[in-house]
Amino acid sequence: MIAIIKYNAGNIRSVQNALQRLGYESVITDDKEEILKADKVIFPGVGEAISAMKYLKEKDLDRVITSLNQPVLGICLGLQLMCRYSEEGNTECLNIFNSDVKLFPQVDKVPHMGWNNFFSFRGELFSGVSLKDDVYYVHSYYPEISSCTIAICDYILPFSSAMNKNNFYATQFHPEKSAAVGERILKNFLEI
Amino acid sequence: MLKRRIIPCLDIQDGRTVKGVRFVNIRDAGDPVELAKIYADQGADELVFLDITATIENRQTLIGLVERIAAEINVPFTVGGGINSVQDVAHLLKAGADKITVNSAAVRRPGLITEMAGEFGNQCIVVAIDTDLIQDNWMVVVDGGRTPVKLKTIDWAIQVASLGAGEILLTSMQNDGKKGGFSIDITAGVSRVVNIPVIASGGAGKMEHFREVFFDTSCSAALAASIFHFGEIGIRELKEYLNNEQIAVRI
C-alpha cells in the first residue's frame, strides 16, 4: 500500500488521482501506524512552511517521517520541509537533505510558475526522462544545491529540482501535474 | 528555460461546455472533461474553466465537475466564475482545482485577495482583470465587461500583486471575440509593472497573434477559447509554429 501523508497542505488529492491513473491504490492518512507499514510513502504539498511544520509536529509526524526506511517521495513543499531550514517563516525543517530553502530574488517573475526543463539528473527516478522534457513548477522559495541534489533547474538561479538521500527522494516540481513526463517519474518512484 | 504557456479556456454552464465545439473525434462535445482531455493530450499547458452562470444552485454541479476533471487531467487547471468568498475557494481546491480565479468580487472588496492568499497561498490565487479602453485609458470593467469601474488597469494590477495575487489573467474586452490579436499595449504595460506572471487573453484569431504577444510583451502565457474549440488552430501545431519562431514553449 502507498501512503500519502495527510497534513494541512493542498494538492493531496491530485497526487492520489495521479496514482490512480497509473493503476496504483493509495490511502491519504496521518495515522502513524499506517504510514510506518506502507510500502511507499508520498509527502506532498502546496502551502506554507511554518504552519505545515507546526502541524507535523503536533501530530508527531516529523519523527515518523524521518524514521521511515521505505522509499519516500516529497513533492514541492514536501521537498522543502525535508531540507534543513526554510526562509519561509524562518522554519526549522526535518533536516533530511543538507540544503536550505531560500526566497527567489525578485529579478524575474515570482512565483516560478509553469513548465521548465531540468538537467544534470541522475538515478532511477529519471529513467526514460530526457533533457528536452519539461515539468511543472509552482514555488516562490527554492532549495539550494547540495550533495543531495540529483537534478538541477535554472530559473533566476540554479537550484535543486530533485533531491535524494538514502531512501528519501523529492522533487521541487509537481510530477502529478507534469503530463506524461511526470507520470513516468512517479512510476519510476513506485517501481524502486 | 521557463516556457511560455498556452491555455485553452472552457466556458461552463450547468456542468457543460457552452460555446459550440467542432471536433471530429469527440463523443460528447458538451462534456468539459472530454474536451479537456483532448486539449491536454494535444499539449495544452494548463486549462481554465469558467462557470458563466455561477449561481448558488449550480455550485454543487461545478464541484462535481471539478472532481471529475481532477481525476482525469494530468496538467494544472484553474476554476473561476462567481467566486466571492474564502469558503468558495476552499470547496474548489478541495475538489481538486489547482488554482482559482477571482474577478468582480476582488474589485468590490480587494481585501478578499489577501484573505484567500493567506489561507491557501498566493500561488493558487489568479486575479482576473477585465480591461477596456475608455476615453483613451485602459480601465477596469466588471460583471463580464458590463460595468466600468473608476480604476486604471495598471493601478489595479499593481494593487492586486501587492495584495497577494499569484498571477493575473488580463482580458481585453476591446479585443475579445474580434480575433484581431491580443491587446499588446496594456498586456505589455501590466507585465512590466508587476512581478507575478501575466496571462494575456482576448483577441486571438491566428497563430501570428500568439507570436506577437510573446514577442512584444513579457506575458507568461496566452489564453484563448473559440479558436481552439472550433479547431481553427490546433494546440500542437500552434506550439510547433511558436517553437520555430524561437519562442520557448513546451513541445
Side-chain angles (χ1 to χ4, degrees):
Chain A
M1 182 53 84
I2 302 160
I4 301 171
I5 297 177
K6 178 180 164 187
Y7 66 116
N8 58 338
N11 201 38
I12 289 175
R13 272 275 294 282
S14 304
V15 175
Q16 189 171 41
N17 283 330
L19 295 181
Q20 201 144 20
R21 288 193 293 270
L22 290 169
Y24 288 86
E25 290 300 317
S26 56
V27 286
I28 296 176
T29 178
D30 59 3
D31 180 79
K32 236 189 269 188
E33 292 310 311
E34 205 160 18
I35 295 169
L36 285 167
K37 68 171 202 264
D39 303 319
K40 300 261 169 30
V41 175
I42 298 185
F43 181 34
V46 164
E48 180 269 320
I50 194 161
S51 53
M53 264 317 287
K54 206 173 142 210
Y55 182 92
L56 292 176
K57 280 185 180 158
E58 277 167 17
K59 296 262 176 180
D60 204 27
L61 289 173
D62 54 337
R63 286 198 303 175
V64 172
I65 294 168
T66 48
S67 73
L68 294 172
N69 295 309
Q70 60 272 58
V72 178
L73 179 68
I75 297 173
C76 195
L77 180 63
L79 176 148
Q80 300 194 350
L81 295 175
M82 287 157 84
C83 289
R84 263 189 320 226
Y85 162 85
S86 173
E87 280 187 359
E88 188 174 27
N90 288 320
T91 310
E92 294 297 332
C93 300
L94 298 172
N95 201 15
I96 295 168
F97 303 133
N98 57 344
S99 282
D100 291 339
V101 177
K102 297 186 166 172
L103 180 64
F104 274 121
Q106 308 272 314
V107 294
D108 201 340
K109 305 280 180 189
V110 176
H112 174 218
M113 186 185 288
W115 298 81
N116 216 135
N117 60 332
F118 56 120
F119 55 91
S120 296
F121 45 83
R122 57 191 161 90
E124 58 269 65
L125 213 52
F126 299 107
S127 155
V129 175
S130 103
L131 281 171
K132 282 190 220 151
D133 290 326
D134 292 306
V135 285
Y136 190 81
Y137 293 85
V138 185
H139 59 126
S140 299
Y141 292 80
Y142 68 92
E144 290 181 312
I145 292 173
S146 74
S147 58
C148 298
T149 302
I150 54 165
I152 296 172
C153 176
D154 192 351
Y155 179 75
I156 297 182
L157 40 74
F159 64 87
S160 294
S161 175
M163 307 188 84
N164 167 236
K165 187 183 172 188
N166 307 324
N167 56 316
F168 293 98
Y169 299 80
T171 62
Q172 179 56 61
F173 56 86
H174 289 275
E176 77 283 9
K177 288 287 164 184
S178 295
V181 183
E183 282 166 0
R184 177 78 201 220
I185 293 166
L186 276 179
K187 204 156 189 292
N188 288 342
F189 169 75
L190 296 169
E191 285 169 0
I192 286 172
Chain B
M1 185 184 280
L2 182 64
K3 306 301 188 292
R4 312 302 269 283
R5 286 171 277 152
I6 300 294
I7 307 176
C9 176
L10 285 77
D11 286 347
I12 307 295
Q13 188 168 23
D14 304 323
R16 309 272 296 167
T17 43
V18 179
K19 286 179 185 167
V21 175
R22 263 182 236 149
F23 268 112
V24 210
N25 300 319
I26 192 163
R27 281 179 302 160
D28 178 1
D31 181 8
V33 181
E34 283 274 313
L35 193 53
K37 274 171 80 171
I38 291 178
Y39 287 143
D41 288 345
Q42 287 179 348
D45 296 307
E46 281 183 43
L47 297 159
V48 170
F49 298 86
L50 285 183
D51 184 11
I52 58 165
T53 42
T55 58
I56 291 157
E57 308 85 71
N58 284 329
R59 240 336 99 151
Q60 217 42 51
T61 314
L62 181 67
I63 298 285
L65 174 63
V66 169
E67 284 174 348
R68 281 182 59 221
I69 297 164
E72 300 271 353
I73 304 301
N74 60 7
V75 296
F77 69 97
T78 302
V79 179
I83 291 173
N84 53 31
S85 71
V86 167
Q87 198 61 20
D88 287 341
V89 180
H91 290 315
L92 291 168
L93 294 180
K94 189 158 175 275
D98 296 288
K99 311 180 207 177
I100 61 87
T101 162
V102 59
N103 191 339
S104 308
V107 176
R108 293 197 185 97
R109 195 165 72 77
L112 191 58
I113 299 170
T114 312
E115 287 169 23
M116 289 172 172
E119 188 76 24
F120 310 106
N122 60 1
Q123 80 291 331
C124 62
I125 309 300
V126 182
V127 175
I129 302 179
D130 292 344
T131 182
D132 207 347
L133 199 54
I134 298 169
Q135 290 165 350
D136 287 337
N137 281 310
W138 284 103
M139 304 298 285
V140 176
V141 292
V142 294
D143 302 328
R146 289 189 298 272
T147 316
V149 185
K150 283 200 179 81
L151 191 56
K152 283 192 177 164
T153 303
I154 291 284
D155 295 342
W156 178 232
I158 293 169
Q159 198 185 342
V160 305
S162 71
L163 287 171
E167 199 166 23
I168 289 173
L169 167 55
L170 181 71
T171 302
S172 165
M173 306 309 284
Q174 192 78 20
N175 303 50
D176 199 35
K178 292 182 187 160
K179 298 191 177 184
F182 295 93
S183 176
I184 299 299
D185 56 347
I186 190 61
T187 306
V190 170
S191 304
R192 198 164 41 232
V193 295
V194 298
N195 202 36
I196 55 175
V198 174
I199 304 166
S201 160
K206 50 185 185 177
M207 296 202 285
E208 287 77 4
H209 295 149
F210 290 87
R211 176 189 173 279
E212 187 183 42
V213 80
F214 286 136
F215 250 98
D216 296 348
T217 83
S218 58
C219 72
S220 301
L223 175 143
S226 56
I227 53 156
F228 295 138
H229 303 330
F230 289 99
E232 291 165 39
I233 297 178
I235 291 173
R236 188 164 289 139
E237 57 170 325
L238 171 61
K239 293 180 91 175
E240 273 162 16
Y241 162 81
L242 292 171
N243 190 48
N244 288 335
E245 294 288 325
Q246 310 302 319
I247 290 163
V249 289
R250 178 178 68 107
I251 294 290

